[in-house]
Amino acid sequence: MSSEQKPWAGRFTEATDKFVEAFTASVNFDKRLARHDIQGSRAHAAMLAKIGVLTGAERDSIIHGLDEICAEIERGEFEWSVQLEDVHMNIEARLTQRIGEVGKKLHTGRSRNDQVATDIRLYLREELDRIRLLIRHLQEALLDLAEQEADTIMPGFTHLQVAQPVSFGHHLLAWFEMLERDHDRLRDCRRRVNVMPLGAAALAGTTFPLDRPYTASLLGFDRPAANSLDAVSDRDFAIEFTACASLIMMHLSRFSEELVLWTSAQFGFIDLPDAFCTGSSIMPQKKNPDVPELVRGKSGRVFGHLVGLLTLMKGQPLAYNKDNQEDKEPLFDTIDTVRDSLRAFADMVPHLQPNRDTMRRAALQGYATATDLADYLVRKGIPFRDAHEVVGKAVRLGIDTGRDLAELSLDELRALSKTIEQDVFEVLTLEGSLKARNHLGGTAPEQVRRAITTARAALSEAR
Ligand code: ARG
């Protein structure tokens, strides 16, 4: 087979239009699947020999040829040809060029339809495992920082208004939890990715007595797909992965948003290391949080790919349609984006520099212990709604006189409610407020340390 001649040229009398050839080719992007295409072909050849369709010598020659092609590709010496359309036909043509006629036997009992579906699953499975590992790296970095910052007090926000004081370590653990669910979703997604389409052939199966469980076991798949029409056509596994990736990017984007806010002069909670920032070409004072900003921005393309893939799939009748060739670029870009974003964060988090005094001052500014005062009154027998009213008045007095609740005198407080006594000042401190929230999931530093221990144990058990 010369590189000019298509493997399917038999029934054609005219050559393909040059523009159509380029328009329909996928090799420029699906060559990324080369290693997995070869992996699948090796297993297919081994299985064909096992059932007697190939001789042992033919199998060895094919496998050896494929290994050499793999090395050629890795060395960057392989010549990809658009005339040969896609990664599959490029490799098959090269195999025959290298080992002669026996190369033409490899495609027995197989179609590019089950071949490509298998390649994508092998490729995605590998990338999925790398992404899960990166999530773990980021989680570990968060745990280390949370441990270091368990006693650091910052304002917790609702509506981006100061709400109640929290431990910075506790805040970091919130991000840890989001990533834990992201990791869990990928593990679940992997079960559905790890099913083998090979043997479905074009759509209906094949007349050869393929040993599909054997091929599946060689490739590390949990099982062969149960229905040939479904196996070659559905890309729900790629859509599911992209949905998982969208949630990861959504989480990283929220995380980014906080870092962008916190590194601003107005917040000043965090300094990012210079290595993760860039300057401005005109404003000499600038140090911009580029990495978080870019990650926040990149979430958009992943969400777009999710909608793109859903739309790609929704109109397709069974079984394979060429539409499916369009699954690759969005999937590849999703993988690259989520992987690089996680990596950037895993590298950056250990170098975040918290400004503890600034955080503390911010927590002191917003009447963050108002709820603690209300709870104090309730413990003294005042109904919560009345307590709320009393504290509202205390906050008003603070605002009018430019003081925090802890700076009001006992007399001033007693003027609002006679039940208030000297011990009130314990609950009005930031430390007292945190310490009081001492239950599972609460922000007391003791609980934060406990949560870290639990999380560490869970991570090492999952390993
Ligand atoms: N390049 C194709 C794809 O990515 C491979 C399968 C082509 N099958 C076919 N019958 N034309 O989907």
Side-chain angles (χ1 to χ4, degrees):
M1 187 162 46
S2 86
S3 73
E4 291 303 311
Q5 202 193 335
K6 325 265 187 217
W8 41 253
R11 63 98 71 210
F12 286 75
T13 52
E14 252 183 283
T16 321
D17 177 273
K18 279 289 156 198
F19 174 74
V20 171
E21 189 169 74
F23 184 70
T24 53
S26 55
V27 65
N28 286 334
F29 51 86
D30 67 16
K31 63 183 174 202
R32 192 196 272 235
L33 297 172
R35 198 159 45 79
H36 302 91
D37 191 69
I38 288 172
Q39 189 187 357
S41 289
R42 289 176 52 116
H44 184 64
M47 182 277 294
L48 288 179
K50 180 170 185 275
I51 62 169
V53 169
L54 293 178
T55 66
E58 287 171 333
R59 173 199 57 207
D60 293 345
S61 163
I62 287 174
I63 290 182
H64 182 66
L66 287 169
D67 286 346
E68 288 189 334
I69 292 171
C70 199
E72 270 178 24
I73 294 170
E74 269 161 25
R75 287 196 304 269
E77 285 166 16
F78 192 93
E79 279 179 38
W80 300 100
S81 146
V82 170
Q83 276 106 53
L84 287 168
E85 221 175 295
D86 55 26
V87 62
H88 323 293
M89 294 205 297
N90 266 270
I91 291 174
E92 197 193 325
R94 179 73 183 129
L95 181 67
T96 303
Q97 223 176 47
R98 285 195 73 113
I99 68 170
E101 290 298 294
V102 58
K104 295 183 182 172
K105 294 191 173 183
L106 171 62
H107 211 51
T108 311
R110 186 175 78 169
S111 151
R112 277 184 295 154
N113 295 351
D114 58 344
Q115 189 178 353
V116 68
T118 302
D119 293 0
I120 303 171
R121 285 170 184 266
L122 287 172
Y123 168 76
L124 178 56
R125 182 179 74 188
E126 192 176 297
E127 292 293 338
L128 207 149
D129 288 343
R130 288 173 68 189
I131 289 168
R132 287 172 65 200
L133 205 63
L134 284 168
I135 293 180
R136 286 302 192 220
H137 290 332
L138 177 52
Q139 284 185 297
E140 276 156 19
L142 285 168
L143 287 181
D144 290 344
L145 192 60
E147 186 162 46
Q148 187 190 301
E149 304 299 328
D151 293 298
T152 304
I153 298 180
M154 66 178 287
F157 298 89
T158 60
H159 313 268
L160 202 57
Q161 310 287 321
V162 172
Q164 292 171 357
V166 294
S167 144
F168 181 43
H170 193 57
H171 194 114
L172 293 164
L173 290 184
W175 286 333
F176 174 91
E177 287 298 320
M178 298 177 219
L179 290 165
E180 186 60 25
R181 291 192 295 279
D182 290 333
H183 187 272
D184 201 43
R185 263 187 288 274
L186 285 180
R187 178 171 41 209
D188 198 47
C189 171
R190 191 190 196 279
R191 290 195 297 122
R192 283 176 288 276
V193 169
N194 203 27
V195 174
M196 186 191 74
L198 272 184
L203 75 164
T206 159
T207 56
F208 297 96
L210 305 186
D211 186 343
R212 298 185 68 215
Y214 177 67
T215 320
S217 76
L218 290 180
L219 292 171
F221 282 115
D222 293 335
R223 59 185 170 86
N227 181 288
S228 62
L229 295 165
D230 175 46
V232 289
S233 61
D234 206 345
R235 296 291 183 265
D236 60 351
F237 65 93
I239 300 174
E240 183 176 349
F241 168 77
T242 307
C244 297
S246 294
L247 288 168
I248 296 172
M249 291 305 294
M250 180 274 290
H251 285 148
L252 292 183
S253 182
R254 296 183 65 194
F255 195 157
S256 298
E257 173 66 8
E258 295 201 326
L259 292 176
V260 170
L261 282 173
W262 292 358
T263 52
S264 70
Q266 288 68 27
F267 274 82
F269 288 3
I270 292 280
D271 282 330
L272 288 181
D274 286 357
F276 292 85
C277 299
T278 64
S280 156
S281 54
I282 175 167
M283 297 168 282
Q285 86 283 13
K286 292 277 277 188
K287 177 172 156 187
N288 297 326
D290 291 50
V291 169
E293 286 177 294
L294 258 183
V295 169
R296 187 178 59 188
K298 281 176 188 291
S299 62
R301 63 203 283 162
V302 174
F303 303 168
H305 294 325
L306 174 59
V307 175
L309 286 171
L310 284 167
T311 313
L312 171 69
M313 204 70 241
K314 75 175 270 292
Q316 290 192 50
L318 287 172
Y320 176 86
N321 303 280
K322 186 80 165 183
D323 309 43
N324 276 344
Q325 183 164 290
E326 286 289 303
D327 62 356
K328 287 165 206 63
E329 287 163 294
L331 179 64
F332 294 166
D333 188 64
T334 298
I335 289 168
D336 293 346
T337 304
V338 75
R339 189 192 53 221
D340 293 351
S341 301
L342 282 165
R343 155 129 198 232
F345 265 73
D347 287 352
M348 184 175 62
V349 165
H351 302 287
L352 296 181
Q353 295 146 8
N355 298 323
R356 300 190 182 117
D357 293 342
T358 312
M359 288 191 189
R360 189 185 168 81
R361 249 180 286 124
L364 282 171
Q365 265 163 23
Y367 302 98
T369 56
T371 316
D372 297 270
L373 179 55
D375 289 352
Y376 168 89
L377 292 169
V378 169
R379 281 196 297 275
K380 302 258 171 177
I382 313 262
F384 183 77
R385 278 290 155 230
D386 296 338
H388 191 287
E389 170 85 20
V390 168
V391 180
K393 286 185 177 142
V395 168
R396 184 74 255 166
L397 179 62
I399 292 171
D400 290 345
T401 58
R403 287 173 300 165
D404 188 58
L405 291 178
E407 291 166 342
L408 300 179
S409 72
L410 184 58
D411 286 345
E412 284 171 313
L413 289 168
R414 282 181 62 85
L416 298 171
S417 170
K418 282 282 164 241
T419 53
I420 299 179
E421 289 164 78
Q422 185 60 38
D423 61 352
V424 73
F425 292 104
E426 278 157 47
V427 311
L428 292 183
T429 65
L430 298 177
E431 281 73 12
S433 171
L434 255 68
K435 222 171 137 199
R437 287 166 172 76
N438 193 10
H439 55 78
L440 181 75
T443 194
E446 188 190 328
Q447 289 297 332
V448 172
R449 277 184 274 272
R450 247 187 238 183
I452 293 167
T453 308
T454 309
R456 285 229 166 91
L459 286 195
S460 70
E461 206 173 298
R463 213 170 284 157

mmCIF file of all heavy atoms in Angstrom, residues 68 109 116 168 192 238 244 259 279 288 309 313 326 328-329 359-360 371 411 441:
data_model
loop_
_atom_site.group_PDB
_atom_site.id
_atom_site.type_symbol
_atom_site.label_atom_id
_atom_site.label_comp_id
_atom_site.label_asym_id
_atom_site.label_seq_id
_atom_site.Cartn_x
_atom_site.Cartn_y
_atom_site.Cartn_z
ATOM 1 N N GLU A 68 8.798 -1.384 16.338
ATOM 2 C CA GLU A 68 9.740 -0.518 15.619
ATOM 3 C C GLU A 68 9.090 0.787 15.187
ATOM 4 O O GLU A 68 9.713 1.848 15.226
ATOM 5 C CB GLU A 68 10.330 -1.268 14.427
ATOM 6 C CG GLU A 68 11.316 -2.326 14.926
ATOM 7 C CD GLU A 68 12.114 -2.969 13.802
ATOM 8 O OE1 GLU A 68 11.614 -3.002 12.657
ATOM 9 O OE2 GLU A 68 13.218 -3.439 14.084
ATOM 10 N N GLY A 109 -10.887 -9.063 11.404
ATOM 11 C CA GLY A 109 -11.828 -9.070 12.537
ATOM 12 C C GLY A 109 -11.850 -7.750 13.293
ATOM 13 O O GLY A 109 -12.224 -7.697 14.473
ATOM 14 N N VAL A 116 -10.743 2.815 17.050
ATOM 15 C CA VAL A 116 -10.607 4.186 17.580
ATOM 16 C C VAL A 116 -11.260 4.306 18.954
ATOM 17 O O VAL A 116 -10.734 4.946 19.863
ATOM 18 C CB VAL A 116 -11.150 5.248 16.591
ATOM 19 C CG1 VAL A 116 -12.660 5.183 16.421
ATOM 20 C CG2 VAL A 116 -10.740 6.649 17.050
ATOM 21 N N PHE A 168 -7.850 29.812 59.149
ATOM 22 C CA PHE A 168 -7.408 29.739 57.749
ATOM 23 C C PHE A 168 -7.222 28.274 57.346
ATOM 24 O O PHE A 168 -7.520 27.875 56.227
ATOM 25 C CB PHE A 168 -6.119 30.548 57.572
ATOM 26 C CG PHE A 168 -5.583 30.558 56.169
ATOM 27 C CD1 PHE A 168 -6.430 30.715 55.074
ATOM 28 C CD2 PHE A 168 -4.216 30.421 55.926
ATOM 29 C CE1 PHE A 168 -5.938 30.732 53.769
ATOM 30 C CE2 PHE A 168 -3.713 30.425 54.626
ATOM 31 C CZ PHE A 168 -4.576 30.581 53.552
ATOM 32 N N ARG A 192 -16.328 3.152 33.982
ATOM 33 C CA ARG A 192 -17.073 3.114 32.717
ATOM 34 C C ARG A 192 -16.168 3.349 31.503
ATOM 35 O O ARG A 192 -16.507 2.949 30.394
ATOM 36 C CB ARG A 192 -18.233 4.117 32.770
ATOM 37 C CG ARG A 192 -19.407 3.599 33.593
ATOM 38 C CD ARG A 192 -20.519 4.611 33.739
ATOM 39 N NE ARG A 192 -20.149 5.693 34.616
ATOM 40 C CZ ARG A 192 -20.247 5.645 35.956
ATOM 41 N NH1 ARG A 192 -20.734 4.572 36.539
ATOM 42 N NH2 ARG A 192 -19.874 6.669 36.684
ATOM 43 N N ALA A 238 -16.496 9.822 27.354
ATOM 44 C CA ALA A 238 -15.694 11.050 27.172
ATOM 45 C C ALA A 238 -16.467 12.260 27.687
ATOM 46 O O ALA A 238 -15.892 13.196 28.254
ATOM 47 C CB ALA A 238 -15.345 11.237 25.699
ATOM 48 N N CYS A 244 -16.742 15.675 34.670
ATOM 49 C CA CYS A 244 -15.898 15.630 35.882
ATOM 50 C C CYS A 244 -14.843 16.730 35.814
ATOM 51 O O CYS A 244 -14.580 17.418 36.805
ATOM 52 C CB CYS A 244 -15.188 14.278 36.009
ATOM 53 S SG CYS A 244 -16.300 12.882 36.219
ATOM 54 N N LEU A 259 -7.866 33.624 45.479
ATOM 55 C CA LEU A 259 -6.454 34.022 45.478
ATOM 56 C C LEU A 259 -6.275 35.387 44.829
ATOM 57 O O LEU A 259 -5.475 36.206 45.284
ATOM 58 C CB LEU A 259 -5.603 32.964 44.769
ATOM 59 C CG LEU A 259 -5.487 31.623 45.506
ATOM 60 C CD1 LEU A 259 -4.700 30.618 44.677
ATOM 61 C CD2 LEU A 259 -4.822 31.811 46.871
ATOM 62 N N GLY A 279 4.760 40.749 35.769
ATOM 63 C CA GLY A 279 4.656 42.195 35.968
ATOM 64 C C GLY A 279 3.930 42.842 34.810
ATOM 65 O O GLY A 279 3.402 42.169 33.930
ATOM 66 N N ASN A 288 1.149 40.683 39.095
ATOM 67 C CA ASN A 288 -0.183 40.157 38.780
ATOM 68 C C ASN A 288 -0.298 38.665 39.055
ATOM 69 O O ASN A 288 0.619 37.911 38.745
ATOM 70 C CB ASN A 288 -0.505 40.428 37.308
ATOM 71 C CG ASN A 288 -0.554 41.915 36.999
ATOM 72 O OD1 ASN A 288 -0.963 42.710 37.843
ATOM 73 N ND2 ASN A 288 -0.107 42.286 35.823
ATOM 74 N N LEU A 309 -19.416 18.451 23.251
ATOM 75 C CA LEU A 309 -19.491 16.991 23.123
ATOM 76 C C LEU A 309 -20.930 16.488 23.256
ATOM 77 O O LEU A 309 -21.339 15.565 22.543
ATOM 78 C CB LEU A 309 -18.592 16.322 24.171
ATOM 79 C CG LEU A 309 -17.077 16.405 23.891
ATOM 80 C CD1 LEU A 309 -16.279 15.898 25.093
ATOM 81 C CD2 LEU A 309 -16.705 15.600 22.638
ATOM 82 N N MET A 313 -23.015 14.473 20.206
ATOM 83 C CA MET A 313 -23.592 13.135 20.377
ATOM 84 C C MET A 313 -25.092 13.109 20.144
ATOM 85 O O MET A 313 -25.628 12.095 19.667
ATOM 86 C CB MET A 313 -23.285 12.672 21.815
ATOM 87 C CG MET A 313 -23.267 11.182 22.026
ATOM 88 S SD MET A 313 -21.867 10.390 21.229
ATOM 89 C CE MET A 313 -22.711 9.298 20.103
ATOM 90 N N GLU A 326 -14.996 14.172 15.653
ATOM 91 C CA GLU A 326 -14.920 15.489 16.309
ATOM 92 C C GLU A 326 -14.843 15.386 17.833
ATOM 93 O O GLU A 326 -14.865 16.386 18.539
ATOM 94 C CB GLU A 326 -16.152 16.331 15.922
ATOM 95 C CG GLU A 326 -16.097 16.866 14.501
ATOM 96 C CD GLU A 326 -15.056 17.975 14.341
ATOM 97 O OE1 GLU A 326 -15.150 18.965 15.070
ATOM 98 O OE2 GLU A 326 -14.144 17.835 13.506
ATOM 99 N N LYS A 328 -12.330 14.170 19.466
ATOM 100 C CA LYS A 328 -10.957 14.138 19.977
ATOM 101 C C LYS A 328 -10.411 15.477 20.432
ATOM 102 O O LYS A 328 -9.869 15.588 21.542
ATOM 103 C CB LYS A 328 -10.030 13.513 18.935
ATOM 104 C CG LYS A 328 -10.254 12.030 18.836
ATOM 105 C CD LYS A 328 -9.655 11.424 17.617
ATOM 106 C CE LYS A 328 -10.424 10.174 17.264
ATOM 107 N NZ LYS A 328 -11.849 10.426 16.924
ATOM 108 N N GLU A 329 -10.542 16.491 19.596
ATOM 109 C CA GLU A 329 -9.931 17.768 19.974
ATOM 110 C C GLU A 329 -10.487 18.331 21.289
ATOM 111 O O GLU A 329 -9.697 18.748 22.147
ATOM 112 C CB GLU A 329 -10.033 18.770 18.820
ATOM 113 C CG GLU A 329 -9.070 18.400 17.695
ATOM 114 C CD GLU A 329 -9.398 19.093 16.391
ATOM 115 O OE1 GLU A 329 -10.472 18.796 15.836
ATOM 116 O OE2 GLU A 329 -8.594 19.931 15.950
ATOM 117 N N MET A 359 -4.824 39.221 58.103
ATOM 118 C CA MET A 359 -6.050 38.409 58.200
ATOM 119 C C MET A 359 -6.746 38.668 59.534
ATOM 120 O O MET A 359 -7.956 38.824 59.614
ATOM 121 C CB MET A 359 -5.711 36.922 58.109
ATOM 122 C CG MET A 359 -5.306 36.468 56.733
ATOM 123 S SD MET A 359 -5.251 34.652 56.747
ATOM 124 C CE MET A 359 -4.512 34.345 55.188
ATOM 125 N N ARG A 360 -5.939 38.709 60.581
ATOM 126 C CA ARG A 360 -6.491 38.908 61.912
ATOM 127 C C ARG A 360 -7.167 40.272 62.015
ATOM 128 O O ARG A 360 -8.277 40.400 62.523
ATOM 129 C CB ARG A 360 -5.366 38.790 62.946
ATOM 130 C CG ARG A 360 -5.864 38.756 64.355
ATOM 131 C CD ARG A 360 -4.773 38.769 65.403
ATOM 132 N NE ARG A 360 -5.454 39.027 66.667
ATOM 133 C CZ ARG A 360 -6.066 38.086 67.361
ATOM 134 N NH1 ARG A 360 -6.029 36.832 66.959
ATOM 135 N NH2 ARG A 360 -6.713 38.396 68.469
ATOM 136 N N THR A 371 -22.456 36.961 66.201
ATOM 137 C CA THR A 371 -23.245 35.743 66.439
ATOM 138 C C THR A 371 -22.867 35.128 67.792
ATOM 139 O O THR A 371 -23.725 34.566 68.481
ATOM 140 C CB THR A 371 -23.014 34.698 65.325
ATOM 141 O OG1 THR A 371 -23.031 35.364 64.069
ATOM 142 C CG2 THR A 371 -24.089 33.632 65.340
ATOM 143 N N ASP A 411 -20.620 48.516 80.849
ATOM 144 C CA ASP A 411 -21.783 49.364 81.116
ATOM 145 C C ASP A 411 -22.606 49.606 79.851
ATOM 146 O O ASP A 411 -23.840 49.537 79.874
ATOM 147 C CB ASP A 411 -21.342 50.715 81.711
ATOM 148 C CG ASP A 411 -20.901 50.555 83.163
ATOM 149 O OD1 ASP A 411 -21.217 49.495 83.760
ATOM 150 O OD2 ASP A 411 -20.229 51.478 83.685
ATOM 151 N N GLY A 441 -16.486 19.023 61.885
ATOM 152 C CA GLY A 441 -16.774 19.925 60.762
ATOM 153 C C GLY A 441 -16.708 21.394 61.135
ATOM 154 O O GLY A 441 -16.886 22.250 60.273
#
